[in-house]
Amino acid sequence: MIQIQIPEKVNIIIRTLAAAGYEAYAVGGCVRDAVLGREPADWDITTSASPMEVKALFKKTIDTGLQHGTVTILLGNEGFEVTTYRVDGEYEDFRHPREVRFTKSLLEDLKRRDFTINAMAYSQEEGLVDEFDGMGDLKRGIIRCVGDAQERFKEDALRMLRAIRFSAQLGFVLDEGTRAAIRKLCGNLKKVSAERIQAELVKLLTSPHPERIREAWETGITGVILPEFDVCMACMQRNPHHIYSVGEHTIHALEQIEADKILRLAILLHDFGKPEAKTTDSDGVDHFKRHPEVSERLAQGIMKRLRFDNETMRRVLRLVRYHDDHPAPKSASVRRAVNRIGEELFPSWMKIQRADILAQNPNMQEPKLLALEKVEELYGQIIREKDCVTLKQLAVSGRDLMAVGFPAGPKLGEILQYLLDLVLEEPERNEKGELIQAAVCRFGQEQEGKE
Ligand code: ATP
Ligand code: MG
């Protein structure tokens, strides 16, 4: 019998339910992950008890989604979702079950789940319940729908993107029938909410295999949820710096950067403007002048469409906008770049640059990498020496300027910017007396009482 390590609190919940005469199992993703030796994100429990029956057995519970049968049980500071066995009724427009019906049969509950590897249940007493050979598919490394793939995707179109997401997280391949069903039904993804698509897309991108987005393209999924990506896949780059299409370059760059949401999103979107910015000169060489601006505009539209939050958007768009900047390998240029791109984002920006270079023509990489290393080194120095790179760090404030007679108003901002520019050039000048003198010297006629 297969043994799975279950956290003690999950065991307590299962045993409490069993002692009251109900069935209860750990189910779904946590069983899959435990078998694979991955740390489950959360432990979900499925039970024959109704939500009210569950609530009656535990002191602290939260009504997470009573209409779906879900109650969260709090043990200490941890929450566990307990969901009553259910069957999803008929589906409406490929996304919402018209109704949720509770059932007394574990098997019925497992049947409604998306993939065989996600449709296993486990308890210490009963062992593994694996009706659809999820174990076999885990061993073989296959993502396969429970039952008929087309039917499952017609019920909920998001499952098609989930199939690719799990293949990317686990390094699994799609079962052929499952893949064929995606090819046929991917158009239904149009009707799925942006929030659900966003969540799966981010999981795919931040997985160990972000290159599996290629599979989302091959099966037609990106054509529906991210058509701009398909345009990049079709955009050739006849240019000595490149050996890939824009889309393939993007995929290679995704593989060259760590699995961080902001970084992977920025890389995904960084060259989306290239197809629109592309020109071909008389020698047949392609150019992509000012493509970062176009990428930024397209990325903004896409991120709004997928309902990303403002903070994620702000960071990603900034990295996209500046991804192709090339500060000279001089201290002052790097300080100016840090000021422009933002202190907080600059380390990310350097990672973006490296990944971008590593996905370009290998014969042209060396000088680019050397220049980037110089920038990285200068950045290190700037940080160590605490050089001033923002208005906040300037030794003089608007208040200081007012104290020596400059009137309040927008002019103050201009003066501060002038002083910051001086200091970005020569950091040793970041000293109050010196800067006030510089301000008086340049803008003295603005001071009150001086005509
Ligand atoms: P993770 O939490 O690591 O992203 P997971 O497998 O736990 O992966 P969840 O989205 O948390 O995925 O869902 C938990 C379980 O619920 C799944 O394992 C699956 O059994 C079932 N499930 C979730 N979403 C769907 C869906 N759209 N269609 C069918 N079953 C689903
Ligand atoms: Mg989960």
Side-chain angles (χ1 to χ4, degrees):
M1 191 165 106
I2 294 152
Q3 284 281 351
I4 294 178
Q5 280 306 316
I6 292 193
E8 193 42 35
K9 286 177 179 170
V10 174
N11 268 326
I12 289 171
I13 294 171
I14 292 177
R15 268 194 255 114
T16 306
L17 284 157
Y22 306 108
E23 297 174 12
Y25 299 85
V27 71
C30 59
V31 177
R32 173 201 69 220
D33 287 343
V35 170
L36 288 173
R38 305 167 88 229
E39 179 75 29
D42 36 39
W43 288 84
D44 295 324
I45 294 155
T46 187
T47 180
S48 60
S50 74
M52 288 309 150
E53 291 167 334
V54 172
K55 286 173 65 163
L57 287 173
F58 297 90
K59 273 208 225 64
K60 279 198 197 155
T61 64
I62 302 169
D63 297 349
T64 313
L66 283 190
Q67 69 283 28
H68 302 113
T70 304
V71 173
T72 298
I73 296 176
L74 290 174
L75 292 184
N77 52 6
E78 273 181 287
F80 299 88
E81 288 195 356
V82 178
T83 304
T84 304
Y85 292 166
R86 57 175 236 219
V87 256
D88 299 334
E90 222 183 298
Y91 282 77
E92 226 167 6
D93 43 314
F94 316 113
R95 46 191 175 146
H96 295 304
R98 213 183 281 276
E99 46 163 10
V100 171
R101 226 168 8 90
F102 298 140
T103 165
K104 288 291 168 195
S105 156
L106 171 64
L107 204 60
E108 286 291 315
D109 180 275
L110 295 178
K111 260 194 218 164
R112 73 167 170 92
R113 294 174 184 270
D114 44 10
F115 306 108
T116 58
I117 59 169
N118 287 348
M120 296 185 286
Y122 181 86
S123 80
Q124 239 166 26
E125 304 294 304
E126 306 289 324
L128 189 72
V129 181
D130 178 17
E131 209 56 39
F132 311 103
D133 196 23
M135 277 306 275
D137 285 338
L138 274 186
K139 287 209 188 89
R140 290 184 288 268
I142 292 178
I143 307 293
R144 183 201 316 272
C145 287
V146 173
D148 182 72
Q150 291 198 30
E151 251 173 61
R152 310 326 309 282
F153 293 152
K154 280 180 192 161
E155 288 164 357
D156 180 2
L158 185 73
R159 290 171 184 163
M160 294 185 269
L161 181 53
R162 283 171 62 84
I164 309 270
R165 181 264 274 197
F166 285 117
S167 94
Q169 285 183 322
L170 305 172
F172 283 18
V173 297
L174 295 186
D175 157 69
E176 268 314 317
T178 299
R179 178 183 285 113
I182 297 179
R183 286 221 170 87
K184 182 155 178 206
L185 296 169
C186 59
N188 292 353
L189 270 161
K190 264 201 292 292
K191 321 219 171 147
V192 174
S193 78
E195 288 83 355
R196 295 180 79 206
I197 288 182
Q198 184 212 112
E200 295 297 331
L201 183 64
V202 166
K203 284 182 178 176
L204 163 58
L205 286 174
T206 55
S207 73
H209 295 283
E211 77 282 1
R212 293 293 171 97
I213 193 171
R214 196 185 280 117
E215 185 130 51
W217 169 71
E218 282 165 359
T219 50
I221 289 179
T222 56
V224 179
I225 63 167
L226 199 62
E228 299 86 350
F229 183 78
D230 289 42
V231 177
C232 290
M233 289 301 281
C235 183
M236 293 306 143
Q237 308 192 82
R238 286 182 41 119
N239 177 301
H241 291 282
H242 289 281
I243 54 172
Y244 300 122
S245 69
V246 174
E248 281 295 333
H249 159 74
T250 299
I251 293 174
H252 281 86
L254 282 171
E255 292 180 288
Q256 294 293 345
I257 204 154
E258 66 199 70
D260 170 83
K261 176 175 159 179
I262 301 290
L263 294 174
R264 290 259 168 103
L265 279 169
I267 285 287
L268 174 72
L269 299 165
H270 79 288
D271 275 351
F272 269 35
K274 274 190 166 178
E276 198 180 310
K278 179 169 164 175
T279 56
T280 306
D281 68 22
S282 54
D283 297 327
V285 177
D286 296 331
H287 300 278
F288 304 92
K289 295 215 176 74
R290 299 161 75 84
H291 74 273
E293 289 167 36
V294 185
S295 295
E296 188 192 10
R297 170 168 50 76
L298 291 177
Q300 181 170 34
I302 292 164
M303 293 187 82
K304 276 201 178 135
R305 187 173 85 212
L306 292 175
R307 311 257 166 82
F308 277 93
D309 61 279
N310 290 334
E311 186 54 19
T312 302
M313 261 177 72
R314 185 186 69 77
R315 292 191 203 174
V316 170
L317 295 181
R318 246 185 134 71
L319 291 171
V320 170
R321 180 188 330 158
Y322 293 114
H323 82 267
D324 206 28
D325 273 24
H326 296 289
K330 290 185 301 191
S331 232
S333 308
V334 175
R335 272 191 299 272
R336 275 193 292 268
V338 176
N339 171 255
R340 184 167 63 248
I341 294 161
E343 251 187 315
E344 146 235 33
L345 276 177
F346 199 77
S348 300
W349 176 86
M350 293 187 290
K351 290 177 184 170
I352 297 275
Q353 288 241 316
R354 177 168 294 273
D356 194 3
I357 295 169
L358 291 174
Q360 296 172 8
N361 184 350
N363 298 327
M364 311 274 283
Q365 287 179 13
E366 203 178 298
K368 298 177 197 172
L369 289 172
L370 285 173
L372 177 59
E373 265 155 42
K374 189 75 193 156
V375 168
E376 287 167 345
E377 192 185 308
L378 290 167
Y379 171 74
Q381 243 171 52
I382 289 165
I383 293 305
R384 271 195 307 281
E385 289 170 17
K386 300 196 172 68
D387 284 356
C388 164
V389 288
T390 62
L391 278 178
K392 238 183 17 225
Q393 293 167 291
L394 201 63
V396 158
S397 67
R399 196 180 295 270
D400 296 328
L401 292 176
M402 275 151 66
V404 297
F406 288 99
K411 190 81 188 173
L412 280 186
E414 192 188 313
I415 299 173
L416 288 171
Q417 190 56 49
Y418 167 77
L419 296 177
L420 178 59
D421 286 339
L422 287 186
V423 168
L424 287 171
E425 195 61 43
E426 298 174 80
E428 61 282 359
R429 296 184 66 181
N430 193 24
E431 193 268 314
K432 197 162 167 174
E434 157 119 26
L435 290 182
I436 295 220
Q437 208 181 348
V440 169
C441 201
R442 173 79 170 70
F443 296 96
Q445 72 280 11
E446 314 278 339
Q447 276 170 292
E448 235 121 63
K450 295 211 175 158
E451 271 334 300

mmCIF file of all heavy atoms in Angstrom, residues 336-363:
data_model
loop_
_atom_site.group_PDB
_atom_site.id
_atom_site.type_symbol
_atom_site.label_atom_id
_atom_site.label_comp_id
_atom_site.label_asym_id
_atom_site.label_seq_id
_atom_site.Cartn_x
_atom_site.Cartn_y
_atom_site.Cartn_z
ATOM 1 N N ARG A 336 22.753 57.582 -13.594
ATOM 2 C CA ARG A 336 21.588 58.143 -14.289
ATOM 3 C C ARG A 336 20.588 57.041 -14.645
ATOM 4 O O ARG A 336 19.376 57.228 -14.536
ATOM 5 C CB ARG A 336 22.018 58.924 -15.537
ATOM 6 C CG ARG A 336 22.395 60.370 -15.216
ATOM 7 C CD ARG A 336 22.502 61.215 -16.480
ATOM 8 N NE ARG A 336 23.651 60.796 -17.281
ATOM 9 C CZ ARG A 336 24.865 61.332 -17.173
ATOM 10 N NH1 ARG A 336 25.083 62.317 -16.336
ATOM 11 N NH2 ARG A 336 25.867 60.883 -17.901
ATOM 12 N N ALA A 337 21.107 55.884 -15.038
ATOM 13 C CA ALA A 337 20.205 54.764 -15.371
ATOM 14 C C ALA A 337 19.444 54.303 -14.125
ATOM 15 O O ALA A 337 18.242 54.027 -14.176
ATOM 16 C CB ALA A 337 20.996 53.608 -15.979
ATOM 17 N N VAL A 338 20.136 54.229 -12.993
ATOM 18 C CA VAL A 338 19.464 53.814 -11.753
ATOM 19 C C VAL A 338 18.360 54.820 -11.411
ATOM 20 O O VAL A 338 17.251 54.449 -11.044
ATOM 21 C CB VAL A 338 20.461 53.711 -10.574
ATOM 22 C CG1 VAL A 338 19.730 53.385 -9.275
ATOM 23 C CG2 VAL A 338 21.519 52.648 -10.859
ATOM 24 N N ASN A 339 18.672 56.112 -11.593
ATOM 25 C CA ASN A 339 17.689 57.153 -11.315
ATOM 26 C C ASN A 339 16.474 57.037 -12.248
ATOM 27 O O ASN A 339 15.334 57.152 -11.829
ATOM 28 C CB ASN A 339 18.343 58.527 -11.469
ATOM 29 C CG ASN A 339 17.319 59.645 -11.420
ATOM 30 O OD1 ASN A 339 16.985 60.235 -12.433
ATOM 31 N ND2 ASN A 339 16.784 59.896 -10.234
ATOM 32 N N ARG A 340 16.735 56.749 -13.514
ATOM 33 C CA ARG A 340 15.672 56.678 -14.524
ATOM 34 C C ARG A 340 14.805 55.422 -14.309
ATOM 35 O O ARG A 340 13.580 55.496 -14.274
ATOM 36 C CB ARG A 340 16.339 56.638 -15.898
ATOM 37 C CG ARG A 340 15.425 56.668 -17.085
ATOM 38 C CD ARG A 340 16.199 56.938 -18.370
ATOM 39 N NE ARG A 340 17.181 55.894 -18.694
ATOM 40 C CZ ARG A 340 18.497 56.043 -18.673
ATOM 41 N NH1 ARG A 340 19.033 57.194 -18.351
ATOM 42 N NH2 ARG A 340 19.299 55.039 -18.980
ATOM 43 N N ILE A 341 15.457 54.292 -14.150
ATOM 44 C CA ILE A 341 14.729 53.023 -14.070
ATOM 45 C C ILE A 341 14.139 52.817 -12.684
ATOM 46 O O ILE A 341 13.083 52.205 -12.520
ATOM 47 C CB ILE A 341 15.684 51.864 -14.464
ATOM 48 C CG1 ILE A 341 16.055 52.006 -15.938
ATOM 49 C CG2 ILE A 341 15.073 50.500 -14.176
ATOM 50 C CD1 ILE A 341 17.291 51.262 -16.357
ATOM 51 N N GLY A 342 14.804 53.377 -11.692
ATOM 52 C CA GLY A 342 14.328 53.243 -10.313
ATOM 53 C C GLY A 342 15.252 52.322 -9.541
ATOM 54 O O GLY A 342 15.608 51.254 -10.021
ATOM 55 N N GLU A 343 15.616 52.774 -8.350
ATOM 56 C CA GLU A 343 16.530 52.018 -7.495
ATOM 57 C C GLU A 343 16.049 50.600 -7.259
ATOM 58 O O GLU A 343 16.787 49.640 -7.340
ATOM 59 C CB GLU A 343 16.517 52.705 -6.132
ATOM 60 C CG GLU A 343 17.733 53.439 -5.749
ATOM 61 C CD GLU A 343 17.589 53.894 -4.315
ATOM 62 O OE1 GLU A 343 16.501 54.406 -3.951
ATOM 63 O OE2 GLU A 343 18.544 53.703 -3.558
ATOM 64 N N GLU A 344 14.737 50.521 -6.969
ATOM 65 C CA GLU A 344 14.169 49.258 -6.524
ATOM 66 C C GLU A 344 14.139 48.250 -7.676
ATOM 67 O O GLU A 344 14.298 47.052 -7.475
ATOM 68 C CB GLU A 344 12.770 49.572 -5.948
ATOM 69 C CG GLU A 344 11.720 48.543 -6.132
ATOM 70 C CD GLU A 344 10.463 49.086 -6.830
ATOM 71 O OE1 GLU A 344 10.568 49.988 -7.694
ATOM 72 O OE2 GLU A 344 9.396 48.583 -6.532
ATOM 73 N N LEU A 345 13.994 48.768 -8.908
ATOM 74 C CA LEU A 345 13.868 47.862 -10.053
ATOM 75 C C LEU A 345 15.192 47.584 -10.762
ATOM 76 O O LEU A 345 15.262 46.710 -11.622
ATOM 77 C CB LEU A 345 12.876 48.441 -11.069
ATOM 78 C CG LEU A 345 11.412 48.138 -10.791
ATOM 79 C CD1 LEU A 345 10.520 48.830 -11.821
ATOM 80 C CD2 LEU A 345 11.145 46.630 -10.821
ATOM 81 N N PHE A 346 16.224 48.331 -10.395
ATOM 82 C CA PHE A 346 17.456 48.208 -11.176
ATOM 83 C C PHE A 346 18.061 46.799 -11.169
ATOM 84 O O PHE A 346 18.472 46.288 -12.220
ATOM 85 C CB PHE A 346 18.490 49.248 -10.728
ATOM 86 C CG PHE A 346 19.553 49.479 -11.762
ATOM 87 C CD1 PHE A 346 19.299 50.239 -12.884
ATOM 88 C CD2 PHE A 346 20.808 48.885 -11.627
ATOM 89 C CE1 PHE A 346 20.272 50.426 -13.860
ATOM 90 C CE2 PHE A 346 21.787 49.068 -12.599
ATOM 91 C CZ PHE A 346 21.518 49.841 -13.707
ATOM 92 N N PRO A 347 18.090 46.122 -10.023
ATOM 93 C CA PRO A 347 18.612 44.743 -10.035
ATOM 94 C C PRO A 347 17.805 43.847 -10.984
ATOM 95 O O PRO A 347 18.380 43.013 -11.688
ATOM 96 C CB PRO A 347 18.472 44.289 -8.575
ATOM 97 C CG PRO A 347 18.507 45.570 -7.790
ATOM 98 C CD PRO A 347 17.812 46.588 -8.650
ATOM 99 N N SER A 348 16.491 44.026 -11.016
ATOM 100 C CA SER A 348 15.662 43.245 -11.940
ATOM 101 C C SER A 348 15.991 43.600 -13.384
ATOM 102 O O SER A 348 16.052 42.733 -14.252
ATOM 103 C CB SER A 348 14.175 43.517 -11.704
ATOM 104 O OG SER A 348 13.831 43.175 -10.380
ATOM 105 N N TRP A 349 16.193 44.883 -13.612
ATOM 106 C CA TRP A 349 16.522 45.343 -14.972
ATOM 107 C C TRP A 349 17.808 44.672 -15.472
ATOM 108 O O TRP A 349 17.898 44.234 -16.614
ATOM 109 C CB TRP A 349 16.661 46.869 -14.966
ATOM 110 C CG TRP A 349 17.097 47.448 -16.267
ATOM 111 C CD1 TRP A 349 16.312 47.792 -17.326
ATOM 112 C CD2 TRP A 349 18.444 47.752 -16.661
ATOM 113 N NE1 TRP A 349 17.077 48.289 -18.340
ATOM 114 C CE2 TRP A 349 18.390 48.270 -17.966
ATOM 115 C CE3 TRP A 349 19.687 47.626 -16.027
ATOM 116 C CZ2 TRP A 349 19.534 48.676 -18.654
ATOM 117 C CZ3 TRP A 349 20.823 48.019 -16.714
ATOM 118 C CH2 TRP A 349 20.745 48.548 -18.011
ATOM 119 N N MET A 350 18.794 44.529 -14.602
ATOM 120 C CA MET A 350 20.052 43.878 -15.009
ATOM 121 C C MET A 350 19.807 42.407 -15.358
ATOM 122 O O MET A 350 20.393 41.875 -16.301
ATOM 123 C CB MET A 350 21.108 44.016 -13.909
ATOM 124 C CG MET A 350 21.552 45.467 -13.716
ATOM 125 S SD MET A 350 22.947 45.677 -12.575
ATOM 126 C CE MET A 350 22.186 45.282 -11.010
ATOM 127 N N LYS A 351 18.914 41.767 -14.608
ATOM 128 C CA LYS A 351 18.593 40.360 -14.913
ATOM 129 C C LYS A 351 17.889 40.239 -16.262
ATOM 130 O O LYS A 351 18.125 39.298 -17.021
ATOM 131 C CB LYS A 351 17.719 39.773 -13.812
ATOM 132 C CG LYS A 351 18.465 39.581 -12.503
ATOM 133 C CD LYS A 351 17.537 39.068 -11.412
ATOM 134 C CE LYS A 351 18.288 38.984 -10.082
ATOM 135 N NZ LYS A 351 17.370 38.722 -8.957
ATOM 136 N N ILE A 352 17.008 41.201 -16.535
ATOM 137 C CA ILE A 352 16.306 41.211 -17.826
ATOM 138 C C ILE A 352 17.313 41.358 -18.968
ATOM 139 O O ILE A 352 17.258 40.654 -19.976
ATOM 140 C CB ILE A 352 15.289 42.392 -17.883
ATOM 141 C CG1 ILE A 352 14.206 42.227 -16.829
ATOM 142 C CG2 ILE A 352 14.717 42.572 -19.286
ATOM 143 C CD1 ILE A 352 13.045 41.379 -17.225
ATOM 144 N N GLN A 353 18.253 42.272 -18.787
ATOM 145 C CA GLN A 353 19.255 42.491 -19.830
ATOM 146 C C GLN A 353 20.053 41.219 -20.095
ATOM 147 O O GLN A 353 20.273 40.847 -21.247
ATOM 148 C CB GLN A 353 20.205 43.602 -19.390
ATOM 149 C CG GLN A 353 19.551 44.966 -19.432
ATOM 150 C CD GLN A 353 20.245 45.920 -20.380
ATOM 151 O OE1 GLN A 353 21.475 45.985 -20.392
ATOM 152 N NE2 GLN A 353 19.484 46.655 -21.165
ATOM 153 N N ARG A 354 20.455 40.558 -19.030
ATOM 154 C CA ARG A 354 21.266 39.349 -19.200
ATOM 155 C C ARG A 354 20.473 38.277 -19.950
ATOM 156 O O ARG A 354 20.969 37.675 -20.906
ATOM 157 C CB ARG A 354 21.733 38.831 -17.828
ATOM 158 C CG ARG A 354 22.518 37.532 -17.869
ATOM 159 C CD ARG A 354 23.178 37.239 -16.532
ATOM 160 N NE ARG A 354 24.214 38.235 -16.232
ATOM 161 C CZ ARG A 354 25.488 38.145 -16.632
ATOM 162 N NH1 ARG A 354 25.873 37.083 -17.307
ATOM 163 N NH2 ARG A 354 26.354 39.090 -16.359
ATOM 164 N N ALA A 355 19.234 38.048 -19.520
ATOM 165 C CA ALA A 355 18.410 37.015 -20.165
ATOM 166 C C ALA A 355 18.183 37.360 -21.639
ATOM 167 O O ALA A 355 18.222 36.474 -22.510
ATOM 168 C CB ALA A 355 17.069 36.885 -19.438
ATOM 169 N N ASP A 356 17.961 38.630 -21.907
ATOM 170 C CA ASP A 356 17.733 39.080 -23.284
ATOM 171 C C ASP A 356 18.970 38.791 -24.145
ATOM 172 O O ASP A 356 18.876 38.210 -25.233
ATOM 173 C CB ASP A 356 17.411 40.591 -23.259
ATOM 174 C CG ASP A 356 16.841 41.096 -24.571
ATOM 175 O OD1 ASP A 356 16.627 40.286 -25.496
ATOM 176 O OD2 ASP A 356 16.627 42.318 -24.686
ATOM 177 N N ILE A 357 20.138 39.127 -23.625
ATOM 178 C CA ILE A 357 21.382 38.884 -24.373
ATOM 179 C C ILE A 357 21.574 37.386 -24.625
ATOM 180 O O ILE A 357 21.901 36.954 -25.726
ATOM 181 C CB ILE A 357 22.614 39.436 -23.605
ATOM 182 C CG1 ILE A 357 22.537 40.959 -23.496
ATOM 183 C CG2 ILE A 357 23.910 38.995 -24.278
ATOM 184 C CD1 ILE A 357 23.562 41.558 -22.526
ATOM 185 N N LEU A 358 21.338 36.591 -23.572
ATOM 186 C CA LEU A 358 21.593 35.146 -23.681
ATOM 187 C C LEU A 358 20.665 34.456 -24.677
ATOM 188 O O LEU A 358 20.909 33.317 -25.058
ATOM 189 C CB LEU A 358 21.479 34.479 -22.295
ATOM 190 C CG LEU A 358 22.601 34.848 -21.318
ATOM 191 C CD1 LEU A 358 22.334 34.259 -19.938
ATOM 192 C CD2 LEU A 358 23.966 34.369 -21.842
ATOM 193 N N ALA A 359 19.603 35.139 -25.080
ATOM 194 C CA ALA A 359 18.687 34.552 -26.067
ATOM 195 C C ALA A 359 18.923 35.152 -27.456
ATOM 196 O O ALA A 359 18.105 34.973 -28.352
ATOM 197 C CB ALA A 359 17.236 34.776 -25.633
ATOM 198 N N GLN A 360 20.049 35.858 -27.621
ATOM 199 C CA GLN A 360 20.385 36.414 -28.938
ATOM 200 C C GLN A 360 21.487 35.578 -29.594
ATOM 201 O O GLN A 360 21.944 34.593 -29.032
ATOM 202 C CB GLN A 360 20.819 37.884 -28.780
ATOM 203 C CG GLN A 360 19.681 38.771 -28.260
ATOM 204 C CD GLN A 360 20.123 40.183 -27.921
ATOM 205 O OE1 GLN A 360 21.249 40.581 -28.202
ATOM 206 N NE2 GLN A 360 19.236 40.937 -27.295
ATOM 207 N N ASN A 361 21.911 35.985 -30.761
ATOM 208 C CA ASN A 361 22.945 35.261 -31.509
ATOM 209 C C ASN A 361 24.179 34.990 -30.637
ATOM 210 O O ASN A 361 24.839 35.921 -30.189
ATOM 211 C CB ASN A 361 23.348 36.096 -32.735
ATOM 212 C CG ASN A 361 24.349 35.361 -33.612
ATOM 213 O OD1 ASN A 361 24.878 34.319 -33.225
ATOM 214 N ND2 ASN A 361 24.601 35.910 -34.788
ATOM 215 N N PRO A 362 24.507 33.731 -30.379
ATOM 216 C CA PRO A 362 25.623 33.395 -29.481
ATOM 217 C C PRO A 362 26.943 34.024 -29.925
ATOM 218 O O PRO A 362 27.790 34.337 -29.089
ATOM 219 C CB PRO A 362 25.716 31.872 -29.553
ATOM 220 C CG PRO A 362 24.459 31.400 -30.180
ATOM 221 C CD PRO A 362 23.842 32.541 -30.932
ATOM 222 N N ASN A 363 27.118 34.229 -31.218
ATOM 223 C CA ASN A 363 28.382 34.794 -31.704
ATOM 224 C C ASN A 363 28.535 36.264 -31.385
ATOM 225 O O ASN A 363 29.607 36.832 -31.544
ATOM 226 C CB ASN A 363 28.486 34.632 -33.228
ATOM 227 C CG ASN A 363 28.485 33.167 -33.618
ATOM 228 O OD1 ASN A 363 28.999 32.333 -32.889
ATOM 229 N ND2 ASN A 363 27.862 32.875 -34.753
#
